[in-house]
Amino acid sequence: MTGSNGSDDTPDEVARAPRIPGPRWAADDHADLSRAVPPADAPVPAPDLPQVLPPPPPPPSHTVLKSLLGAWALSACSVEETEAVENHLTECAPCADEALRLRDAVGLLHAERDLDLDPLLRSRVLENCLGRRPARIPVPAWAAPYDAETARLDALLQDIGESEWHAPVRLKWFEEERPASRRTTVAGVIGHLLTVDGLVATALGLDDPLGGTRAVSPASPTAPEAYWQSSDHPVTRGVREPWRDQSHTLIRTVSFAGRGVADLTVTYGDFALPMRDSLLERAFECWVHADDIANAVAYPYEPPSGAHLHGMIDLAARLLPAALAGRRRAGLAAPARQLVEAGAPGRSLHLEVEGAGGGHWYIALDSPAAMGSPDHAVAQVAMDGVEFCQLVAGHVPPEEAAAGQDGDREAIRDALFAAASLSRL
């Protein structure tokens, strides 16, 4: 049978013949196959119907939002709750006031902290380590303040930039009846500390940082002249390493030297101190000048720990009778007066120091060799511990130093000016 197209194939043979597929898309044609023509027998999809969304949930009530204010202040709400609370605060004045009060209260619970490392971290870590495993050669207790204060100053120097080593610093002290000062830089202050610590180093048989150019009798260790008169003092941050090495060497030397080194005499020209008091005085000056540097570079700096501050105050209190006697010999203080009773000690001044490191001291007013007694106190001065140290450093005028005064005004004035004259240390 012949088909309509002229072919002799029957319909059954045509049905059994294999179908030839149409041309396929090439792999690199990047054709969108999803748009290919569907086969003829594919079902026709139903037309898209509009989707009906559920209604949004109602906003939380005023009561619920008010109950979330505490969690919001603590930043403990979810994102949705935070958004709902903050939207509510723009519309509800009472809740907004309550939210501000709660946020302020949270601020008191979480005090702001400096991101810098705590300067006392090194001391605490060492104390913890030594408590677990004591050192075979521990640092003597009387050298611990110097060790701590040099470590704190070194941490401060680690944080400052290259340009800040040339920041201006004004050193202050007290001479006779008036304050004195000298302008220098951060590097100059460290050079000064290096030089004065060298007096302690030479007493221990160590090298003098001035290399033999030091004056035979410097006026005093903290008077800058011994350093400024040297011809080649460093003026850059390079002074940090020799100062740091010298302070470490001093600590190692007194630690290995044994007990006898504590009474070794350190000469400061016109006076001398035993080694135990000399390192305490050096710790005091290190703190004072570190505070000078911190103020120059706008860096926060805390006072020494309470125990170390107490030792510094005690040293100043013990030196006050001799300082007062020296001012009396120079005609800068009232003459000594004895009490009426025969053989009784001279008058005393009750020094009450408040705050960290504080305590009570009785200063002998009429003899540098006498012991102060509460039974013969003729005056009392009350001061904060840090303020007293600032007075001894020559940073606070004697007329403005005392927070509370009672008793013999002349004795109080002489004692305050004598304390300021200790700034030569």
Side-chain angles (χ1 to χ4, degrees):
M1 181 175 181
T2 303
S4 60
N5 58 359
S7 173
D8 295 334
D9 297 334
T10 62
D12 292 339
E13 292 173 345
V14 174
R16 289 195 300 269
R19 294 188 60 185
I20 300 175
R24 291 182 296 175
W25 298 101
D28 55 353
D29 284 346
H30 306 288
D32 187 0
L33 300 180
S34 64
R35 311 180 83 178
V37 178
D41 56 351
V44 179
D48 293 335
L49 298 176
Q51 185 177 4
V52 179
L53 299 177
S61 65
H62 172 84
T63 303
V64 173
L65 293 172
K66 185 176 181 180
S67 67
L68 291 174
L69 292 179
W72 174 84
L74 292 169
S75 300
C77 289
S78 66
V79 176
E80 295 78 9
E81 291 172 339
T82 300
E83 183 179 2
V85 170
E86 292 179 351
N87 289 336
H88 179 66
L89 295 182
T90 61
E91 302 172 354
C92 181
C95 285
D97 293 339
E98 180 67 15
L100 290 177
R101 286 193 293 268
L102 291 173
R103 183 58 62 88
D104 291 341
V106 170
L108 297 176
L109 294 175
H110 301 278
E112 294 183 1
R113 299 188 63 182
D114 195 345
L115 295 179
D116 294 328
L117 291 177
D118 186 351
L120 296 179
L121 178 62
R122 175 178 180 270
S123 298
R124 288 201 299 268
V125 171
L126 289 176
E127 182 179 359
N128 182 58
C129 294
L130 295 176
R132 294 175 180 268
R133 185 176 181 180
R136 290 189 303 168
I137 308 296
V139 175
W142 48 268
Y146 178 77
D147 187 28
E149 292 310 309
T150 52
R152 293 207 305 143
L153 175 54
D154 190 49
L156 167 61
L157 299 178
Q158 176 68 29
D159 282 352
I160 68 176
E162 179 70 33
S163 62
E164 291 175 316
W165 280 88
H166 303 285
V169 180
R170 183 167 293 279
L171 297 180
K172 300 178 181 179
W173 68 97
F174 196 80
E175 289 182 353
E176 296 183 351
E177 298 291 307
R178 64 186 186 279
S181 65
R182 179 185 286 272
R183 186 181 179 89
T184 182
T185 64
V186 171
V189 175
I190 302 303
H192 168 56
L193 289 175
L194 171 72
T195 302
V196 182
D197 286 353
L199 295 171
V200 183
T202 54
L204 290 170
L206 303 174
D207 293 336
D208 188 340
L210 291 187
T213 61
R214 185 190 303 273
V216 176
S217 298
S220 62
T222 56
E225 300 306 324
Y227 171 65
W228 314 123
Q229 290 176 0
S230 64
S231 58
D232 56 349
H233 61 273
V235 294
T236 66
R237 65 180 306 163
V239 71
R240 180 190 173 200
E241 287 303 321
W243 168 80
R244 190 170 184 260
D245 292 343
Q246 179 177 256
S247 64
H248 289 179
T249 302
L250 288 176
I251 292 297
R252 286 196 301 268
T253 302
V254 299
S255 299
F256 280 89
R259 297 181 179 178
V261 72
D263 298 321
L264 188 67
T265 300
V266 180
T267 303
Y268 293 97
D270 56 348
F271 69 98
L273 289 175
M275 180 64 68
R276 63 171 67 248
D277 286 343
S278 181
L279 277 188
L280 186 57
E281 179 272 323
R282 299 312 306 142
F284 174 79
E285 186 179 0
C286 185
W287 161 46
V288 170
H289 287 327
D291 190 64
D292 292 336
I293 293 173
N295 289 332
V297 299
Y299 193 97
Y301 205 78
E302 296 295 327
S305 66
H308 294 171
L309 190 63
H310 180 86
M312 297 173 187
I313 295 172
D314 180 72
L315 174 62
R318 288 187 282 116
L319 295 177
L320 265 178
L324 182 57
R327 288 180 57 82
R328 188 174 289 126
R329 288 191 298 271
L332 300 175
R337 289 184 290 172
Q338 295 292 334
L339 295 181
V340 177
E341 295 86 358
R347 301 166 300 155
S348 297
L349 179 137
H350 178 197
L351 174 62
E352 180 181 358
V353 179
E354 303 168 344
H360 297 265
W361 287 266
Y362 291 89
I363 312 300
L365 296 174
D366 296 315
S367 173
M371 297 292 294
S373 169
D375 297 332
H376 301 289
V378 297
Q380 180 178 4
V381 174
M383 301 180 66
D384 175 74
V386 174
E387 183 183 20
F388 177 75
C389 289
Q390 292 294 323
L391 170 67
V392 173
H395 287 196
V396 175
E399 301 89 343
E400 304 174 8
Q405 303 179 9
D406 184 40
D408 190 331
R409 296 295 176 180
E410 184 180 63
I412 292 173
R413 180 189 182 280
D414 289 344
L416 293 178
F417 273 81
S421 70
L422 291 174
S423 59
R424 64 177 188 167
L425 290 178

